[in-house]
Amino acid sequence: MYQNFIGGRMTAASDAVANVNPSNTDDVIGEFARGTAADLDMAVSAARAAAPGWARSAVQDRHDILARAATELLARREELGRILSREEGKTLGEGIGEATRAAQVMDFFAGECLRTGGEMMPSTRPGVGVEISREPLGVIGMITPWNFPIAIPAWKIAPALAWGNCVVLKPAELAPHSAWMLVDILNRAGLPEGVLNLVMGKGSVVGQGMVEHSGIDGISFTGSVATGRGIAAGCVAAQPMKKVQLEMGGKNPFVVLDDADLEVAVNCALNGAFFSTGQRCTASSRLIVTEGIHDRFVAALTEQMRGLKIGDALAQNTDIGPVVDPGQLAQNRDYLEIGVREGARLMGGDLLKRNTPGHFMSPALFTDVTNDMRIAREEIFGPVAGVIRVRDYDEALAVANDTEFGLSAGIATTSLRHASDFKRNAEAGMVMVNLPTAGVDYHVPFGGRKASSYGAREQGAYAREFYTTVKTAYTKAG
Ligand code: NAD
């Protein structure tokens, strides 16, 4: 039984939910607490009580705690990666990679504790000085999805703590174990009680409760557009209003031009569309291909897809693990039917039987897709991609931008002119040239445009826009 973490100690909850391995539904990982509004109240009170002390704490102490957590995360990355893959279904290599990323993020923000400064400006008035400084926002509520169950909590918690905020985290119900481990490691690294609290449970209870809670100053959310929209509205309606940051879905284009290196293009598409079972906000779900390379690209990609091993996330040699749960699997299968009804041609997307009961599905590739089809407009969030044939670069760019989303956009080309033009004109927060749309660094800003993101960027030094509030002080020498 994994309990909530409130005010520095495990706190028993009245209800719990089983965490089940999607590679083998007979494997129950554990029972995880399902928090109530009362648990949330306790966590917010603990965070508020800890907030003044933590805000004034020495940056050296904050640095040392984050650095100790980074060291433990790195040392235990294989164990944490296994926990992650077991509950979420990405392959062990991907799981270990994500645990390593959590350690790197922690290490980066340990350094950021020491790098925070302000500005001094001359005043327009004689004898007056102006100082611009940053102060902690206060108590932050964090609501996270299941698909990066350790990296996303880490890249929210680390900057929040580095800049002197207290935290209440609500991870996704489908994959709480990784977040639980992260909170345990951080608390043992020396955080004062109440600085970091974990309340697991339902979005409609704990998540919604955070949005409405008067003791929370800001909400950092990652998840779907529909949930995000409601959270933003709730933050504005709340008393007092809350600062809010949303990272949401994508329908990311990957453009392949006639002059692309075919091998590079196919590898980027294969990785971007299908790795991590396509369950990435940055997945390449629209492959926009010019007509001179279209047939060769589709043939080579299909060939590579056939070679992928789909199976138990923890097994050696597995390339693609299971879909996270029956609901997501049903959604993927519904979209396969929708695509066929819309007139696209489907390859793959079969339900697969393995030695254990799990949610296994082969990657699916649609061809003859047009950008007005639902499969080209709506986020599916599974191993499903569609190929859209276009005449030339100009049409490719127009189709790439013709979407309500704007998270990541990629292009495979050997032309400097097209690469430069795409970097300038792609309507996305992140642009990749000859690289998959998924896969980012941790020391630079992460985020998108349009329906994909709302509010300040996450990660790197840019994260301070959300986690701090600016003060402008005027001094006249007396
Ligand atoms: P989701 O929106 O269903 O849930 C996300 C979180 O919100 C969960 O913790 C959930 O419990 C909580 N929640 C649900 N209803 C709520 C409510 N009414 N009030 C407050 N909280 C509520 O998303 P998901 O299925 O967990 O994750 C998949 C989605 O996340 C995809 O759309 C994906 O693109 C997106 N995502 C985005 C990024 C990014 O950085 N842009 C990264 C990863 C995932």
Side-chain angles (χ1 to χ4, degrees), residues 143-144 146-147 170 222-224 227 247-249 281 379 381 446:
I143 303 172
T144 55
W146 48 264
N147 67 327
K170 191 213 88 66
T222 302
S224 62
T227 310
E247 283 301 339
M248 299 169 286
C281 51
E379 184 182 51
F381 218 56
F446 176 95

Side-chain angles (χ1 to χ4, degrees), residues 142-148 152 155-156 170-174 201-211 221-228 230-231 246-250 279-282 328 379 381 405 407 430 446-448 452-453 458-459:
M142 298 177 177
I143 303 172
T144 55
W146 48 264
N147 67 327
F148 284 95
I152 292 179
W155 80 50
K156 291 184 191 299
K170 191 213 88 66
E173 274 207 294
L174 279 177
K202 288 184 169 182
S204 56
V205 177
V206 183
Q208 187 62 32
M210 280 186 183
V211 171
F221 166 81
T222 302
S224 62
V225 176
T227 310
I231 286 175
L246 311 173
E247 283 301 339
M248 299 169 286
Q279 296 172 157
R280 295 188 285 193
C281 51
T282 47
Q328 184 63 55
E379 184 182 51
F381 218 56
F405 297 103
L407 191 55
M430 296 172 291
F446 176 95
S452 291
S453 298
E458 300 204 83
Q459 303 203 46

Side-chain angles (χ1 to χ4, degrees), residues 342 369-378 388 399 402:
E342 288 178 310
V369 176
T370 54
N371 203 43
D372 56 353
M373 292 179 178
R374 281 182 64 194
I375 53 167
R377 304 210 78 81
E378 298 170 18
I388 302 172
V399 170
D402 177 16

Side-chain angles (χ1 to χ4, degrees), residues 41-56:
D41 271 342
M42 263 198 299
V44 174
S45 299
R48 289 229 78 86
W54 185 246
R56 283 194 295 270

Side-chain angles (χ1 to χ4, degrees), residues 169-191:
L169 169 69
K170 191 213 88 66
E173 274 207 294
L174 279 177
H177 196 190
S178 301
W180 194 95
M181 295 297 292
L182 178 68
V183 171
D184 176 53
I185 288 170
L186 272 158
N187 273 305
R188 283 190 296 94
L191 283 176

